[in-house]
Amino acid sequence: MTAEISALDLEEAGAVLAAESARFASFGWMRGTSGNLSVVLTRDPLRLAVTASGHDKGELTPADVVLVDGQGAAVQGGKPSAEAELHARVAALTGAGAVVHVHTVASVAMGRREPGGIVFKDLEMLKGVGQPAHDVEVTLPVIANSQDMKVLGDRLEAARDPRMPAVVVAGHGLYVWGADPRQARHHTEVVEWLLELELSQR
Ligand SMILES: CSCCC(=O)C(=O)COP(=O)(O)O
Ligand SMILES: [Zn+2]
C-alpha cells in the first residue's frame, strides 16, 4: 500500500526544514548552497521530505522541499538534494526521523587530523548525545568521501557507532540524525560544539 502524502503535509515539512536550515545557515554551517536536511513523513513505505538541490540554504521557503522515496528518488516536487539517497539510507538504518547535513569547518578540519575517528571523553556536553559525561570514550567515526551515495551509505553503515548519532565525511562535512528535527538540531549543535572544542585544543 502506498501512503498518501498531501501537499499540505509536504509544505508543513518544508516550513520546518526551511526554519531549521535558516538557523544552521546563520551559524555559517551551510555556506554557498552547501548542506541539506530531511524529515521522515512515512516509514512504510519510507518517504522523506528533503531540501531541494542547489538552493541557498539560508533562504529556503516551504516550497523548496521534495518528497523522495527510500532510494532518494523524487516522488513529488522538483530536484531533490544530490545527497537525498544518503538521507534515506540513514533514516532506514538508524530509525531516525530527521537527518541534518552541514558543511562545517571544524568537521572537515578534525576529519583531516583524526581520519580514524575522533574520540571524546570527560565532557559534560556528551550528555547531549545521550552519553555519560565521565569515564566513557565516545568515538565520532570518519568515513572517506564519495560522489556515489550508495558507496557513502555502505561506508556509513560499516563505520557508525550506535552511541554517536553522527558521522564525519572526510573533506566534505557532517551527518547527524535524531528522532525528529528538533532532536537532530540539538545533536548537530552538540557534535559541532565537541568538534570545535577538540579543534581548539589540538
Ligand atoms: C557547494 S555544496 C556541494 C554539494 C553538497 O555537498 C551539498 O551538501 C549540497 O548539495 P544539495 O544538492 O543538497 O544542494
Ligand atoms: Zn554536502
Side-chain angles (χ1 to χ4, degrees):
M1 190 181 103
T2 304
E4 295 292 325
I5 308 292
S6 76
L8 192 61
D9 288 341
L10 189 57
E11 191 163 327
E12 283 170 354
V16 169
L17 295 186
E20 295 297 320
S21 196
R23 180 183 175 108
F24 294 132
S26 77
F27 298 156
W29 298 353
M30 302 183 99
R31 293 178 186 166
T33 78
S34 66
N36 28 72
L37 307 179
S38 67
V39 59
V40 172
L41 297 185
T42 65
R43 279 263 156 220
D44 188 18
L46 183 58
R47 296 283 185 266
L48 303 91
V50 61
T51 50
S53 185
H55 290 250
D56 185 321
K57 304 311 186 314
E59 298 176 347
L60 295 181
T61 72
D64 296 326
V65 70
V66 182
L67 183 69
V68 301
D69 65 15
Q71 281 68 51
V75 173
Q76 191 178 319
K79 184 181 176 194
S81 167
E83 300 176 33
E85 183 180 346
L86 188 55
H87 283 250
R89 182 82 176 264
V90 170
L93 188 64
T94 66
V99 181
V100 171
H101 169 54
V102 285
H103 284 207
T104 66
V105 173
S107 66
V108 174
M110 284 306 299
R112 275 194 187 151
R113 290 190 191 190
E114 307 285 346
I118 303 146
V119 179
F120 304 106
K121 190 183 174 190
D122 291 335
L123 291 163
E124 189 73 13
M125 206 60 155
L126 284 168
K127 291 181 180 174
V129 287
Q131 295 304 310
H134 302 289
D135 303 325
V136 175
E137 287 194 346
V138 183
T139 301
L140 173 61
V142 178
I143 60 172
N145 196 20
S146 172
Q147 301 307 312
D148 184 330
M149 292 303 127
K150 167 88 170 68
V151 170
L152 262 188
D154 288 347
R155 288 176 182 163
L156 187 146
E157 182 168 355
R160 86 179 177 102
D161 181 337
R163 294 175 305 163
M164 173 58 81
V167 165
V168 168
V169 182
H172 184 166
L174 181 63
Y175 267 83
V176 190
W177 50 91
D180 53 33
R182 185 178 166 83
Q183 191 189 54
R185 181 215 303 161
H186 291 159
H187 286 170
T188 303
E189 292 180 1
V190 166
V191 172
E192 176 62 15
W193 186 96
L194 292 166
L195 285 166
E196 289 180 20
L197 175 76
E198 292 303 320
L199 188 59
S200 73
Q201 302 291 298
R202 297 182 193 195

